[in-house]
Amino acid sequence: MSDKSSRRQFIDRSFRIIGFLGIGGAAGVLTKRASSSAVYQIDPFKCTSCDLCRTSCVLSLSAVKAVNDFEKCGYCMLCPAYMDVNSRPDEKGIPTGKVCPQDALKRRVVGRVDLEDPNNNYYEYAIDETRCDGCGKCVKACLPPAGNGSLRLEIRYTRCVECNECAIRVVCPDDAIVRVPVPGMAPTADSSEREKA
Amino acid sequence: MKPQQPEAGEGNLLDRLRKSWFPAAAVVGALASFIAAALRLRPEPGTVLQTTEKPAPPVPPQQAGPNLPAGGFKREYRKSGSLVGGAAAQQFRSSLAGIAVGPGDRVYALGDGEIRTFEAGGSLVAVWKVVPNASCLAAGSDGHVCIGAPGRVEIYDPAGRHTGGFAAGDSAGRPAGITAVKWFRDEILAADADARLIRRYDRHGKQLGLIGTKARAGSFILPNGWLDFDVDAQGVIRATDTGRHQVTAWALDGTPLGSFGKFGMGNPEDFVGCCNPVNVAVTHDGKIVTGEKMVARVKVYEPDGRLLALVGPENFDPKCIHLHLAVDSKGWILVADPVRREVSRFFPVAEAADNAPLRDRETAGGIRQEYARI
């Protein structure tokens, strides 16, 4: 009888400890997030879309996503970031291969639609973030002179877990991962130093 | 026989485990799995987490275009040298926005907020300041020069004096995004890339008509936001339709007269990439000269779209998004490379290249390699 009660007590105690640790950890993470005034972001002028964002993020599906700037986008029929222009053409001469290995770049016709000739249409390209793994193939393919350079890689704050030291920043060969101040928060010491410099 | 009693302290297995290392191991294990789950341990560098990459489909064998001369081009151009930049001394410091050829084959180059005028032989004649945001220029048969700038057209006399100008845009007051201007007799034609049409003005800025609005398929498709055109002596306008990969022909009253060109990576006659050709010019004998980006090259076509000649990418910077074009009375092609800030001249060699083999870089494989290299 005493054996049974002590085992129950032991299990009870173990679960309590684990529970306390879990609550404490979550509180710590939330406190850290709430107190930080800067976040990790990618400098598009330094980024070379080297593919390390895909492989180095601690998340299984990287927090880095491609983003399309619709102001700059040409709404091309033959978007070099969407179609692999070197792939086998179909009977109308349109390339059949896609650039994105995850098929995360989605397109739809916008404006007046000509069903007979697709060359007369404009197409909008949007990123499916549940598929995009931040490999940057589309970003590379859209760079001038091939495209307008409307695509870029961005760290999505809603997905980023704000590691103490960003795993992508550690390996980034271009120093493209930077800390940027969040609007409405006081700048961090290192960002104000950088501004002074 | 008396059963053997366990020694003192041995007890049952659970009891022994509980008393010894089991509690500690259980707590440590639970903690470790909790921390691992919370932090999602970083994978080894180079670990592929997700990959659905498929092998590239095989590239079809090169096919000669239906109108391409078997084995080579009918005409060949050779570089005569540079007028600006390169080996020449007259280098622009920061920009080269356009070129034009005027009477007596005088060459006008626009860059750094000024116009530089050269004799046909290449000597610098004059330099004058223009509006700093000028994007294009044209020279009339009387030596007057007009400049296109956002929402404005400015006119200068042959000596470089500002003699007039007018605002260009629609009736609602939206300024025109002017990317090309041309003289036709006493009229000024201005390409408005924002409105995707060509506006026709008299010298005083009165709008006479619009070109590009009467086609069944709609106006120009311009993913790169650039519209270029030229007009021949008969008043036929040749304009680039970059999204459709075509050169289109229009009458001055806006009637569409036809088009040629299509997308293709395998045939030099076709236009590569998302949006080409980006620039166009018409020679005095009616041939059409096109400039392409991505695979920076210049091509010469018959008016019906048959490819006559090709000036290869080895002559231009691969990062060019424009190759501004002009032609002189002798049929020489002037190309302004805005990245190198160099104006090169190419002259036609006698049409003896019928049997010359296609150079390797102009074959399908060569174009693909060039595309991949950039």
Side-chain angles (χ1 to χ4, degrees):
Chain A
M1 191 72 182
S2 68
D3 272 1
K4 273 189 180 177
S5 70
S6 65
R7 194 185 308 143
R8 203 170 290 132
Q9 280 171 353
F10 163 72
I11 292 167
D12 226 31
R13 216 175 295 133
S14 301
F15 274 111
R16 268 186 211 161
I17 291 167
I18 290 167
F20 281 132
L21 283 172
I23 291 165
V29 168
L30 289 173
T31 313
K32 188 187 139 205
R33 279 195 177 185
S35 61
S36 70
S37 59
V39 290
Y40 290 112
Q41 193 46 274
I42 298 172
D43 184 340
F45 297 105
K46 289 181 181 175
C47 175
T48 54
S49 311
C50 64
D51 196 26
L52 284 173
C53 288
R54 177 177 70 89
T55 57
S56 305
C57 183
V58 296
L59 298 176
S60 57
L61 186 63
S62 176
V64 175
K65 304 290 173 195
V67 175
N68 193 8
D69 182 350
F70 293 111
E71 287 287 309
K72 279 171 81 177
C73 181
Y75 295 80
C76 310
M77 202 284 281
L78 273 156
C79 171
Y82 180 74
M83 289 174 183
D84 177 4
V85 291
N86 279 322
S87 64
R88 181 184 290 278
D90 64 11
E91 67 279 1
K92 287 181 180 170
I94 311 292
T96 50
K98 287 184 178 174
V99 170
C100 181
Q102 307 287 348
D103 196 18
L105 199 57
K106 302 292 179 191
R107 81 169 188 171
R108 67 183 183 99
V109 184
V110 288
R112 201 184 73 160
V113 181
D114 186 338
L115 297 172
E116 286 175 23
D117 187 356
N119 282 303
N120 294 332
N121 298 328
Y122 279 98
Y123 295 85
E124 183 187 86
Y125 296 88
I127 314 294
D128 179 353
E129 293 200 357
T130 59
R131 284 168 170 262
C132 178
D133 61 4
C135 71
K137 282 192 168 77
C138 59
V139 177
K140 256 185 185 170
C142 184
L143 285 176
N148 286 2
S150 68
L151 285 157
R152 64 174 185 273
L153 289 175
E154 262 189 22
I155 295 174
R156 302 309 253 173
Y157 306 142
T158 48
R159 294 171 189 273
C160 177
V161 291
E162 276 287 309
C163 304
N164 263 339
E165 188 167 28
C166 174
I168 306 171
R169 189 184 200 180
V170 172
V171 295
C172 180
D174 308 303
D175 283 335
I177 309 290
V178 292
R179 293 287 281 176
V180 293
V182 179
M185 289 186 178
T188 54
D190 67 326
S191 67
S192 55
E193 276 167 21
R194 207 168 40 237
E195 274 167 24
K196 277 179 198 166
Chain B
M1 205 165 160
K2 197 178 173 183
Q4 202 176 353
Q5 292 293 320
E7 284 177 26
E10 271 187 87
N12 62 35
L13 184 64
L14 253 176
D15 188 40
R16 276 187 300 168
L17 284 174
R18 183 167 60 81
K19 283 182 179 165
S20 54
W21 51 269
F22 178 73
V27 172
V28 168
L31 272 176
S33 45
F34 170 73
I35 292 166
L39 294 181
R40 292 186 195 169
L41 286 174
R42 189 182 150 203
E44 286 295 309
T47 306
V48 177
L49 297 172
Q50 285 197 358
T51 177
T52 56
E53 272 189 66
K54 295 169 194 155
V59 173
Q62 183 207 349
Q63 293 169 351
N67 302 318
L68 189 68
F73 299 106
K74 195 169 167 58
R75 192 184 280 185
E76 190 180 338
Y77 283 81
R78 287 197 192 139
K79 189 170 178 176
S80 158
S82 299
L83 197 65
V84 176
Q90 302 296 334
Q91 177 86 41
F92 283 100
R93 288 185 308 276
S94 60
S95 68
L96 174 57
I99 44 166
V101 174
D105 285 342
R106 185 171 279 200
V107 178
Y108 301 82
L110 171 67
D112 291 348
E114 63 188 29
I115 286 179
R116 295 183 193 175
T117 314
F118 300 87
E119 287 294 355
S123 54
L124 182 69
V125 179
V127 179
W128 73 81
K129 289 280 176 196
V130 294
V131 287
N133 53 356
S135 57
C136 49
L137 82 164
S141 54
D142 58 356
H144 278 71
V145 175
C146 67
I147 300 290
R152 290 285 302 173
V153 173
E154 306 292 352
I155 302 168
Y156 297 85
D157 71 8
R161 286 185 294 266
H162 186 254
T163 57
F166 54 86
D170 65 12
S171 52
R174 276 186 290 270
I178 297 179
T179 52
V181 283
K182 289 287 181 296
W183 287 96
F184 180 70
R185 294 177 187 145
D186 207 30
E187 295 177 8
I188 294 170
L189 300 159
D192 181 352
D194 291 352
R196 296 189 285 132
L197 45 80
I198 298 166
R199 298 181 186 277
R200 190 176 158 206
Y201 293 99
D202 69 10
R203 196 179 267 260
H204 307 291
K206 184 186 174 196
Q207 189 166 296
L208 305 173
L210 300 173
I211 295 148
T213 56
K214 290 185 185 171
R216 187 200 65 80
S219 57
F220 301 100
I221 300 262
L222 307 170
N224 58 337
W226 195 267
L227 176 58
D228 194 20
F229 73 97
D230 200 358
V231 57
D232 66 15
Q234 286 73 46
V236 175
I237 294 161
R238 304 279 179 173
T240 57
D241 197 336
T242 56
R244 294 188 179 99
H245 297 87
Q246 286 181 342
V247 175
T248 53
W250 306 82
L252 275 173
D253 63 358
T255 309
L257 300 176
S259 64
F260 70 84
K262 64 180 173 60
F263 165 80
M265 297 294 291
N267 187 341
E269 204 166 58
D270 297 336
F271 297 112
V272 300
C274 72
C275 25
N276 266 317
V278 283
N279 293 92
V280 69
V282 182
T283 64
H284 290 279
D285 59 350
K287 306 291 188 275
I288 295 154
V289 186
T290 63
E292 283 178 65
K293 65 167 184 157
M294 193 54 214
V295 178
R297 58 185 182 178
V298 170
K299 293 190 287 193
V300 183
Y301 290 88
E302 293 279 10
D304 61 5
R306 279 176 296 156
L307 181 60
L308 270 182
L310 193 150
V311 179
E314 67 274 13
N315 294 292
F316 313 109
D317 191 285
K319 293 202 184 308
C320 279
I321 57 169
H322 293 290
L323 287 173
H324 303 290
L325 302 170
V327 286
D328 68 11
S329 62
K330 299 191 295 290
W332 287 36
I333 301 170
L334 289 91
V335 185
D337 177 335
V339 177
R340 291 180 182 166
R341 301 192 299 282
E342 179 181 4
V343 176
S344 310
R345 294 192 290 187
F346 298 89
F347 64 94
V349 178
E351 298 191 3
D354 279 3
N355 301 319
L358 273 171
R359 283 168 293 170
D360 179 57
R361 66 184 311 137
E362 306 310 341
T363 61
I367 291 169
R368 289 198 171 89
Q369 280 168 18
E370 188 72 20
Y371 199 100
R373 187 173 69 82
I374 297 162

